[in-house]
Amino acid sequence: QIPAESRRRKQRTMDEITKLAAKCRIATPHDVVTNSECVYTFHSPYTTEKGIVVNLSSFVGTVDELAFTNNDEESSALFVRICKKRVPKENGTDGNSEPDKSAVKLGVGVEGGFQSDQDKYDTISTYSIVMMGKSADGDGKAKVLAEMPYDDGSKNSFPMSVSQSADSIIHHAGLAVKQDLTAWELDDEPKPESKYTEALPFVENGVKISPTPSDWKCEKSGEKENLWLNLSDGFIGGGRKNWDGSGGSNGALDHFLETGEKYPLVVKLGTITEDISTADCYSYAKDEDGPVKIPNLKEFLEKRGIMVAGMQKTVKSTAEMEVELNATYAFDAITEQGAHLIPVAGAGLHGLQNLGNSCYMNSVAQMLFSGTVPELSSRYGTNDGVTNNSLLKIAPVNASDDLLCQASKLSCALTSGAFCGPVPKSAEVSDPSTSDPKYRLAPRMFKHAVGHDHVDFRTGQQQDAAQYFQYLLEKLDRAELGAGDRLKSKDGSGPALVSSHLFSYKTESRLVCEADSMIKYKESPTETMLSLRIPMSKSTLPDANMPDLKRQKSEDPGDDDKEKKEVPTVSFDACLDEWSAVNTIDDYRWPHLQNSVSPATSQTRFVNFPRYLLCHVQRYELGDDWQPHKIEVNIDVPEEISLQKFKGTGPQEGEALAPEEAKVNEEATTAPAAAAPAIDESALGQLMDMGFNMNGCKRALMAVGGSNVEAAMNWVFEHNADPDFNDPLPEGGTTGSAPAASNSDVDETVVMSLVDNLGCFTADQVRAAVKHCSGAADRAADWLFSHMDDLDGAIAALENTAAAENSTPKPTTLVEDGDGKYNLVGLVSHIGKNTGSGHYVAHLKKDGKWVIFNDEKVALSEHPPIQHAYMYLFQRSDTVGSPNAEY
């Protein structure tokens, strides 16, 4: 009776599943499928026994309780549950080798080399079909209504639409690999069309390929994985070995060589679908030897009995395997750097996986979201599990692209420590727990949400961490302003403070006109990062006679007799003095002098002291080869600083203030035309004798008072590229170019200096780069050289982004102020010749101790590189222990 009741219960469940089967869809290679990670949390098929569930209609993966988040359209749906477990192999790869045998070759997965994870572990995957519905509690959470195992033995008992949908999800590359591939392909050349396609010989040998994948095997080795079909003679062979020794048996390539290199084109079995363009094709020909497109692939397949209609992808493509190989290879395992450090793990102490040149992002993300800035941890992080933050309240289909959701997902994982594994015995990456997918955080969705529309940050190339910090804050601000009910002020009266408010400061420039000693105060727009130049003229060398500072020998083994170059030191206070020093502007245009040019002195001061001050040190300069080079210098930065002497005072009693620009313009508008300066005819003749157009010469003389030939010549050189330079002057005699020059949002002296020094960029190109890099000349030069392949396209992309940013309303909240005393709480350091290469590492102060965050390696720091950092994060002393409650 019990078996009968069990059968009836199973049949009722199957009947309910059948009712929902019509909603199931088959995922194509172009669909977005999140089958490796929950879109709201870092839960994956490995993290718990429940794994994740993937909707058979939307293809979105979540944990059980969040399956219907903000989804009013569905009350019940079908899912496939994906669970995976990594288990160690008993005796290495051949049953006799020792898994922990020391490596004697520099390689992974090769005999005598380091073992890959594939050699050491097996992955056990289990699946089930789950019917879920909304909880009756009204909290929007999902609950399991029924669940049935799904495997080769049971799949035929399900409706065909359910089994096909589940298989398409299980075998899909998934969003994680798709995003990695997108970044990979942005850095790579598009696949060419093989030139052997049209004249490829076809051998009429009667070979037909079975439609059943289990029948396929390498005709040389008998292996059943990584199989390639030769399109000429129907030979099935194993793929070639990867660079680390893993991969196939090389059967397909060997066959190509053995047949006289006459049949070069192959296709990977298991990658063929109805969309024939997604099949993985390769040319072994020596003049191609790489992935190719084969337009008539369908015809060749049909001749071998393969009908592409209805075929589904069942294996990974070469590109997907290459991404996976590079993502899992632990480069530090070779040198085992950091073995002397004491590893730590827990809340605020979880590393982030390097996605391929993503250390710049990891370092900034740790600095902002792991607890060092408690306001952002409060807004985006958690004190109550990883599924309860209100910013996660967004429909599953939108979650992976939503920046607020992904920032919350990342911060909740970092601040909770929910995904931390056991603390390794040492900081070496070869510890088994460090490569266990159960404990790894790969911030792919966060990277995509931030950088998908940015010309640089959407690629897999190394980027400037300082530039990324500013761009991330801008993106967060726009997302927060548009968050609606998901993010309100604490009292619910209006929008919440934006994240950049924590870092926002203004400066005032005090300008003195040398012509009449009139003074002008100019307040800057809000900034979020203080960029400091290094005054090498104020550097000092260490005392060679001091015992602990004696010069060391060169590290070059061939230079035993040479001494290591002494590295000078510059104090942080000297950098601040340089930033605030009085400097001269030779050609400042003064509105109250009818826009004539007169030298001015300028000094910059703080208007306010923000809660957090992010300082960026300009450690790079252009060398004689026009390439950015790192300045070899130590910066002596105390862990406590005071900026009170750099606070601006504003206009003082007794100062002669220049009229406001608006007042000058108003007077110019109401004054009669005769008030305009008269043009000296002899001066006009001298200018025209130099070969300039009359209208341009008139404009120049009008701008400088009418008769000063030298000043007019300077104006011509500055403005001869203006679009209206040769146009007739408007009635009234005013120039169109002069006012525009005074409203520029970049320092034209920096622009012209770079144009002269670099010599290969136009003023407009340099101006765009300087604006993009917030006025930092070294970063602007670095950006220009790194985009020379398509500079105009990169600038156009910047302009499009800027236009979108300008359309977003900016917050008008007053900036925060305090006493100007700061404590050092974070560092981002860079190793490499320029900011677009090398490696970034973060050091953050946690409970009074410095901790190093080197991607996934987290350990107590013995010697934080304060003297060598690229970015310094300071917290205002009066805010320590008193976070802003509005966050």
Side-chain angles (χ1 to χ4, degrees):
Q1 200 170 12
I2 294 176
E5 177 60 29
S6 176
R7 285 196 300 272
R8 284 194 293 270
R9 188 165 55 249
K10 183 176 179 181
Q11 185 57 48
R12 285 196 297 270
T13 299
M14 192 62 71
D15 290 342
E16 293 299 318
I17 289 176
T18 303
K19 292 178 183 178
L20 296 172
K23 296 182 179 179
C24 298
R25 297 168 51 225
I26 298 175
T28 71
H30 299 292
D31 284 315
V32 175
V33 178
T34 48
N35 56 7
S36 62
E37 184 178 286
C38 169
V39 294
Y40 297 109
T41 71
F42 279 95
H43 279 295
S44 73
Y46 293 93
T47 50
T48 69
E49 292 181 354
K50 290 185 176 182
I52 63 171
V53 291
V54 184
N55 191 301
L56 295 187
S57 175
S58 65
F59 312 134
V60 177
T62 66
V63 292
D64 286 18
E65 62 185 284
L66 300 179
F68 291 110
T69 302
N70 271 41
N71 186 354
D72 298 328
E73 298 179 2
E74 290 183 309
S75 57
S76 61
L78 293 180
F79 298 77
V80 57
R81 186 184 301 281
I82 304 176
C83 301
K84 296 184 179 183
K85 185 177 182 180
R86 190 178 78 156
V87 295
K89 291 183 177 181
E90 292 185 3
N91 288 308
T93 57
D94 57 8
N96 298 313
S97 61
E98 299 176 18
D100 57 351
K101 187 177 179 181
S102 297
V104 295
K105 287 185 179 180
L106 188 63
V108 178
V110 297
E111 184 177 354
F114 293 94
Q115 285 189 306
S116 67
D117 280 357
Q118 189 175 359
D119 295 329
K120 294 185 287 185
Y121 301 100
D122 285 321
T123 298
I124 299 174
S125 302
T126 57
Y127 310 99
S128 58
I129 300 298
V130 186
M131 183 169 62
M132 303 185 76
K134 286 187 177 179
S135 171
D137 299 337
D139 56 4
K141 293 185 177 181
K143 65 176 182 178
V144 176
L145 303 177
E147 186 164 355
M148 298 181 68
Y150 183 80
D151 52 34
D152 289 339
S154 64
K155 68 168 56 179
N156 291 333
S157 63
F158 290 93
M160 182 178 293
S161 58
V162 174
S163 60
Q164 287 182 334
S165 177
D167 284 344
S168 71
I169 290 170
I170 291 168
H171 296 297
H172 201 280
L175 178 63
V177 173
K178 188 175 182 179
Q179 288 176 344
D180 285 352
L181 278 173
T182 300
W184 191 282
E185 289 164 357
L186 283 169
D187 305 330
D188 208 355
E189 296 293 328
K191 287 192 293 186
E193 183 177 311
S194 174
K195 65 183 181 181
Y196 297 97
T197 299
E198 294 185 6
L200 186 71
F202 182 82
V203 181
E204 297 285 357
N205 54 10
V207 172
K208 298 290 183 183
I209 306 301
S210 169
T212 307
S214 59
D215 294 337
W216 303 336
K217 63 181 180 181
C218 175
E219 296 181 36
K220 280 183 172 289
S221 67
E223 292 185 4
K224 292 201 168 189
E225 294 183 357
N226 193 7
L227 301 175
W228 294 76
L229 172 67
N230 190 294
L231 295 178
S232 292
D233 62 4
F235 181 90
I236 297 177
R240 60 165 101 194
K241 286 183 172 62
N242 290 322
W243 52 266
D244 71 335
S246 64
S249 64
N250 242 39
L253 176 58
D254 290 343
H255 177 72
F256 165 70
L257 298 174
E258 292 166 2
T259 53
E261 304 183 7
K262 295 184 295 184
Y263 312 137
L265 301 185
V266 293
V267 61
K268 188 171 186 180
L269 293 173
T271 67
I272 303 166
T273 66
E274 289 188 57
D275 184 356
I276 206 71
S277 65
T278 62
D280 202 356
C281 301
Y282 200 94
S283 173
Y284 289 134
K286 291 182 179 178
D287 56 349
E288 290 184 332
D289 195 20
V292 293
K293 294 178 181 178
I294 303 177
N296 53 350
L297 175 63
K298 185 177 179 180
E299 300 171 16
F300 282 106
L301 294 175
E302 288 177 350
K303 291 179 181 179
R304 295 295 175 194
I306 298 177
M307 300 299 155
V308 299
M311 292 193 72
Q312 293 187 35
K313 183 171 176 286
T314 58
V315 300
K316 296 174 182 176
S317 68
T318 304
E320 291 162 3
M321 293 174 69
E322 185 75 8
V323 166
E324 183 181 78
L325 183 65
N326 281 273
T328 57
Y329 176 52
F331 291 94
D332 283 349
I334 297 173
T335 57
E336 297 192 358
Q337 291 181 344
H340 62 288
L341 299 178
I342 300 174
V344 290
L349 299 170
H350 197 152
L352 294 173
Q353 184 180 341
N354 192 315
L355 307 177
N357 294 321
S358 64
C359 52
Y360 70 93
M361 177 191 72
N362 290 349
S363 298
V364 172
Q366 291 283 9
M367 185 171 64
L368 294 181
F369 296 118
S370 69
T372 303
V373 181
E375 289 83 359
L376 295 184
S377 300
S378 173
R379 170 169 291 178
Y380 290 101
T382 180
N383 292 318
D384 183 26
V386 296
T387 62
N388 297 317
N389 193 299
S390 63
L391 294 176
L392 300 177
K393 306 303 181 186
I394 186 171
V397 293
N398 300 323
S400 65
D401 293 325
D402 184 84
L403 177 57
L404 299 183
C405 177
Q406 293 309 313
S408 179
K409 170 181 173 176
L410 177 61
S411 188
C412 285
L414 294 176
T415 56
S416 68
F419 301 95
C420 285
V423 180
K425 294 180 181 179
S426 72
E428 61 189 31
V429 299
S430 55
D431 187 283
S433 65
T434 60
S435 62
D436 192 337
K438 184 176 182 178
Y439 306 120
R440 304 185 79 180
L441 300 183
R444 289 184 180 87
M445 294 186 191
F446 176 78
K447 182 177 187 291
H448 174 75
V450 175
H452 68 93
D453 56 354
H454 190 276
V455 65
D456 294 322
F457 300 135
R458 65 195 178 105
T459 71
Q461 297 175 348
Q462 186 67 278
Q463 303 299 335
D464 185 348
Q467 181 184 343
Y468 183 78
F469 166 80
Q470 291 188 299
Y471 183 73
L472 174 57
L473 284 187
E474 293 171 5
K475 291 276 287 191
L476 286 174
D477 283 1
R478 294 201 297 274
E480 289 165 348
L481 289 171
D485 293 337
R486 293 167 66 201
L487 188 64
K488 285 190 172 183
S489 60
K490 293 298 182 181
D491 59 8
S493 60
L497 290 176
V498 293
S499 293
S500 67
H501 180 73
L502 296 166
F503 304 88
S504 295
Y505 70 93
K506 293 183 177 182
T507 60
E508 72 171 22
S509 298
R510 183 179 183 270
L511 297 115
V512 181
C513 177
E514 289 192 5
D516 57 8
S517 298
M518 298 285 274
I519 298 173
K520 176 181 180 179
Y521 286 89
K522 188 177 180 181
E523 191 172 284
S524 74
T526 301
E527 300 177 67
T528 55
M529 186 174 71
L530 179 64
S531 190
L532 299 175
R533 296 181 182 178
I534 301 174
M536 293 303 294
S537 60
K538 298 180 182 179
S539 65
T540 58
L541 289 172
D543 186 351
N545 295 319
M546 293 182 66
D548 56 342
L549 290 177
K550 286 186 177 179
R551 292 173 291 179
Q552 301 177 6
K553 288 187 176 181
S554 171
E555 295 177 356
D556 187 342
D559 292 342
D560 291 339
D561 297 329
K562 292 184 180 179
E563 292 184 332
K564 189 176 180 180
K565 182 180 179 181
E566 292 177 332
V567 178
T569 298
V570 174
S571 71
F572 189 69
D573 206 44
C575 296
L576 290 167
D577 286 337
E578 179 76 7
W579 169 77
S580 186
V582 176
N583 61 83
T584 300
I585 304 174
D586 293 327
D587 53 355
Y588 193 82
R589 199 170 304 284
W590 292 93
H592 76 285
L593 298 179
Q594 290 77 45
N595 278 322
S596 63
V597 172
S598 174
T601 58
S602 174
Q603 187 173 33
T604 303
R605 289 284 190 268
F606 285 101
V607 171
N608 70 293
F609 293 126
R611 180 172 286 256
Y612 298 93
L613 180 65
L614 196 285
C615 294
H616 155 248
V617 177
Q618 298 179 19
R619 288 187 173 272
Y620 299 87
E621 63 181 359
L622 288 175
D624 295 336
D625 57 356
W626 304 110
Q627 296 296 318
H629 294 276
K630 196 167 190 176
I631 303 173
E632 292 189 38
V633 63
N634 296 330
I635 308 296
D636 185 10
V637 183
E639 295 196 32
E640 296 181 0
I641 63 172
S642 175
L643 303 179
Q644 290 171 323
K645 69 177 183 178
F646 300 104
K647 186 69 176 282
T649 58
Q652 299 296 298
E653 186 177 350
E655 289 183 335
L657 300 179
E660 294 294 332
E661 215 164 300
K663 185 176 180 181
V664 172
N665 291 338
E666 181 181 348
E667 291 173 353
T669 302
T670 57
I679 294 177
D680 187 299
E681 291 297 330
S682 62
L684 178 62
Q686 290 181 54
L687 286 176
M688 292 181 65
D689 287 342
M690 297 178 190
F692 296 107
N693 179 281
M694 177 185 290
N695 290 330
C697 295
K698 285 184 176 181
R699 285 177 179 275
L701 288 168
M702 289 287 293
V704 300
S707 60
N708 189 325
V709 175
E710 184 177 354
M713 276 295 301
N714 290 332
W715 191 96
V716 166
F717 288 130
E718 183 179 348
H719 293 279
N720 60 22
D722 290 353
D724 61 349
F725 179 77
N726 290 319
D727 293 348
L729 269 68
E731 287 190 26
T734 59
T735 67
S737 300
S742 65
N743 293 329
S744 175
D745 54 359
V746 297
D747 188 341
E748 288 298 322
T749 57
V750 174
V751 173
M752 298 314 297
S753 174
L754 282 176
V755 170
D756 293 340
N757 291 329
L758 299 180
C760 54
F761 301 105
T762 67
D764 288 338
Q765 290 171 335
V766 173
R767 192 174 291 109
V770 171
K771 182 177 180 180
H772 177 58
C773 296
S774 304
D778 60 333
R779 287 172 51 216
D782 193 3
W783 188 91
L784 286 165
F785 281 113
S786 64
H787 292 83
M788 286 186 69
D789 289 344
D790 185 19
L791 186 56
D792 291 337
I795 291 174
L798 292 180
E799 291 171 349
N800 292 336
T801 303
E805 292 171 0
N806 292 335
S807 65
T808 304
K810 298 294 188 295
T812 56
T813 309
L814 294 175
V815 291
E816 189 177 336
D817 200 4
D819 63 5
K821 294 180 180 179
Y822 285 90
N823 297 333
L824 183 64
V825 295
L827 313 167
V828 173
S829 306
H830 177 257
I831 306 165
K833 63 181 182 180
N834 60 60
T835 56
S837 63
H839 185 60
Y840 287 95
V841 175
H843 286 76
L844 305 175
K845 190 167 275 190
K846 302 281 186 177
D847 298 325
K849 297 180 179 179
W850 284 102
V851 177
I852 179 175
F853 292 82
N854 183 3
D855 289 330
E856 291 185 272
K857 290 167 59 176
V858 182
L860 294 177
S861 174
E862 291 185 347
H863 305 290
I866 296 177
Q867 288 188 318
H868 310 290
Y870 178 58
M871 297 162 65
Y872 297 87
L873 179 64
F874 294 93
Q875 181 178 8
R876 212 173 62 229
S877 303
D878 60 348
T879 69
V880 175
S882 303
N884 190 329
E886 283 300 308
Y887 290 85

